[in-house]
Amino acid sequence: MVRIAVLDKKKCAPNNCGDYLCVRVCPINRKGDECISKTPDSKAAIDENLCIGCGICIKKCPFGAINIINLPEELSKPPIHAYGKNGFHLYNLPIPIFGKVVGIIGKNGIGKSTAINILSGQLKPNLGKPEHNTSIQELIEYFKGTELHNYFENLNAGKIKVAVKPQQVSLLPKRFSGTVGELLKKMDETGRMKEVAEKLELTQFLDRKLSQISGGELQRVAIASCSLKKANVFFFDEPTSYLDIKQRVRVSEYIQSLANEQTAVVVIEHDLIILDHMTELVHITFGVPSGYGVISSPMSTREGVNEYLRGFMRKENIRFRPGAITFDDKPPVKLAKGQALVEWQPLKKKLGDFSFSSEPGIIYRKHLVGVLGENGIGKTTFVRILAGEIPTDQGELNASVSVSYKPQYIDSDSKEPVGIFLKHAISTHINELVHPLELDPLLTEPVSSLSGGELQRVMIAKCLSEEADLYLLDEPSAYLDVEQRLQVSKIISRLIQTTGRTALIVDHDLLFLDYLSEDLIVFEGKPAVSGTLKGPFSMEAGMNLFLGVLGITLRRDLESKRPRINKLDSRLDREQKTTGKLYYA
């Protein structure tokens, strides 16, 4: 059996555990051998050859710094890369295929971005030997007999030119201080700047500095910058973050258009509907976050997404999740209205050059209400009105309700440990929120040190643990992977059912809202100019209205029952548009 030992050096604190508690309790050490040792940097180190996998050190370590993992027997070859002794191990790589868009699907922290960095030449793999300086010939030999053998040979010979759209587009303004137009002009190696700017709708803010544009605008600028390079292999790491659903569909179709016989495209994406719409093949990535990651062989997108949801790969006979993620095979339920919680007649609010308005509406108790609309069209304005943060210019809410609000942007500079920050959640909802959101390992970490996904889960827990009539969550799926998104939807749904409260969820992931919502509010208008709130509607009526604006239709997959976008002008797309049933036939 192949066994790896992973030690989180940030959590390892020998001075606070009674002087290397793990060293003292290890049965191999007590026998006289040195399985766990002290290192010059005052941390512990574990010899994987001597480790017997007893798990005593894992249970005794008070900081959760140690993880001993038994790998699947299929992993006979050494890892493609290991981050130091007792660090993260990555096995296998995805395969760029010319003429195709290939997707990578998997949890956060299991090597997707590392794989892209290796394939693009930004990271030199060490073949599992952290101190070894791997030569390109060793790397080519490692992949002998596979498609990646030719890939690395061509990369080394300069026949493959790569371009990468990084995950963290927020860093762009820190690296380039000029305008959007200046950046695109600098990156343009193909002479297509005007064409690409029009396709990605960048022309209206070409003269603005990167520091002055929104996250969604930055994302589209990053995609444009990447695609303007003279490359024949493109890598896009989470290209739909910050984008609304209309922009996601447009961007996915643009990325699709880049693939041809001379060009390959590889995409990491957590929005399953968009991943399904954009790619032809996918790799499943599975493993233990921060421990190890394994990238599967490529498979058709439909097969790959369904096997990912099932948590079991049939050909490899590998189960990587205890249970399947399932969707209901039923039409949208029309709920009884019950008791009104919040009611409003037409509302109006002017914020600078932007005008918000609403049709009359009612939010009922014990309901989960999804909110859909483009960016910059008034969704957050309405949430802030409900939260009491801003007054209306005309019209009032006919209710006085207590509100718990998770905002869209959740930066935090607090040095307070997560355990103190979530003191109320831990004392009242530890089984309902803290454990399911996997926050236990974060409790000793300062809030300011958390990643985007970690901070998102902490803020969701804080919001839902408060006593309130109405929970307002603005883009709770941002920074979360597929499994975390669906877990969050289950947590919210379960809490609403057990407490009888009401939740309003603003999000751009259609699968997430389809999985969660019972009613739907739809925003229409012109971004940054005006927006009108309509609803709440039943899910069927609301989705039909929204999908009509997008010009797309949805069907359910016959096997997994998940929502999928129909190919434009396909037989099913035409039939559903003819009958007016855009939201599932």
Side-chain angles (χ1 to χ4, degrees), residues 379-440:
K379 301 186 303 296
T380 300
T381 298
F382 178 61
V383 167
R384 293 179 65 199
I385 289 171
L386 285 175
E389 288 192 358
I390 56 175
T392 58
D393 296 333
Q394 181 180 320
E396 293 182 354
L397 301 175
N398 297 333
S400 177
V401 296
S402 57
V403 170
S404 181
Y405 175 39
K406 187 209 78 70
Q408 178 181 6
Y409 298 107
I410 51 175
D411 295 327
S412 178
D413 297 324
S414 173
K415 302 295 183 184
E416 189 176 45
V418 171
I420 302 299
F421 186 74
L422 291 179
K423 185 177 180 181
H424 180 67
I426 292 169
S427 63
T428 59
H429 293 82
I430 191 163
N431 292 321
E432 296 84 2
L433 296 173
V434 178
H435 294 335
L437 287 170
E438 299 180 345
L439 300 178
D440 304 78

Side-chain angles (χ1 to χ4, degrees), residues 16-33:
N16 297 323
C17 71
D19 190 24
Y20 294 94
L21 178 60
C22 56
V23 172
R24 291 185 284 113
V25 300
C26 175
I28 304 301
N29 281 53
R30 295 176 71 177
K31 193 177 72 172
D33 293 325

Side-chain angles (χ1 to χ4, degrees), residues 107-109 289-290 406 410 418 421-422 425 432-443 447 450-465 473 475-481 483-485 487-488 491:
K107 296 176 73 171
N108 287 332
S290 301
K406 187 209 78 70
I410 51 175
V418 171
F421 186 74
L422 291 179
E432 296 84 2
L433 296 173
V434 178
H435 294 335
L437 287 170
E438 299 180 345
L439 300 178
D440 304 78
L442 307 178
L443 298 180
V447 174
L450 302 179
S451 68
E454 291 168 343
L455 185 58
Q456 183 75 269
R457 287 181 283 135
V458 166
M459 297 304 289
I460 289 170
K462 186 170 180 63
C463 172
L464 295 177
S465 67
L473 296 102
E475 298 197 29
S477 79
Y479 305 108
L480 302 184
D481 62 43
E483 294 187 39
Q484 290 169 338
R485 292 179 187 198
Q487 177 69 355
V488 164
I491 290 167

Side-chain angles (χ1 to χ4, degrees), residues 150-214:
N150 292 334
Y151 177 87
F152 282 107
E153 274 195 332
N154 290 330
L155 184 67
N156 183 50
K159 295 179 182 178
I160 285 179
K161 301 289 185 183
V162 302
V164 181
K165 197 292 294 180
Q167 181 182 13
Q168 294 179 299
V169 295
S170 57
L171 298 178
L172 266 180
K174 298 177 182 178
R175 296 174 179 171
F176 188 85
S177 58
T179 66
V180 171
E182 289 168 345
L183 174 66
L184 296 183
K185 188 174 181 180
K186 181 181 178 181
M187 296 295 174
D188 188 12
E189 299 173 353
T190 62
R192 298 170 51 245
M193 174 180 160
K194 183 179 178 182
E195 173 196 341
V196 171
E198 288 176 353
K199 283 185 176 179
L200 295 175
E201 298 186 336
L202 311 178
T203 55
Q204 293 182 341
F205 53 88
L206 289 175
D207 295 330
R208 291 168 63 186
K209 289 191 173 184
L210 265 69
S211 58
Q212 298 173 331
I213 63 177
S214 69

Side-chain angles (χ1 to χ4, degrees), residues 29 54 69 96 181 213 226 330 343 367 406 409 421 532 568:
N29 281 53
C54 65
I69 303 166
I213 63 177
C226 175
K330 61 183 181 182
E343 186 174 356
H367 277 218
K406 187 209 78 70
Y409 298 107
F421 186 74
T532 300
L568 188 65

